[in-house]
Amino acid sequence: MKLEEMMNRIEEISRILEKGESSLEDSIALYEEAAGLIRKAAELLDQAEQKVMILTSGKDGVGVAPFDAGKDE
């Protein structure tokens, strides 16, 4: 499952749970599914971050330059 698909499913589960119309058993199952998807998504993001760090290190021995989303250019 792609990251985008995981995020969409997590959002869908959140909407279902927010309605409060599911049984306790169904709510727990949905919560467990969302928690698993969140763990998998975090792993994918960690892997992507590692790839970016490797790519930015380059062949000339330049140090690792992690992505800074908050940096204004």
Side-chain angles (χ1 to χ4, degrees):
M1 183 180 276
K2 293 182 179 182
L3 179 64
E4 293 81 11
E5 294 169 336
M6 289 182 203
M7 298 302 294
N8 289 335
R9 179 62 180 152
I10 292 165
E11 289 177 13
E12 179 183 4
I13 291 170
S14 177
R15 285 191 295 272
I16 293 168
L17 292 175
E18 285 176 352
K19 286 182 181 179
E21 298 174 356
S22 300
S23 68
L24 177 60
E25 293 81 12
D26 289 344
S27 294
I28 291 171
L30 288 167
Y31 182 85
E32 289 174 342
E33 180 185 352
L37 289 170
I38 291 167
R39 278 191 298 275
K40 288 179 185 176
E43 290 173 11
L44 287 176
L45 291 171
D46 287 342
Q47 291 171 2
E49 181 180 19
Q50 291 300 315
K51 287 180 183 178
V52 169
M53 287 185 177
I54 289 168
L55 291 171
T56 57
S57 65
K59 296 178 184 176
D60 59 356
V62 175
V64 174
F67 177 72
D68 184 2
K71 185 176 180 181
D72 292 343
E73 293 184 25

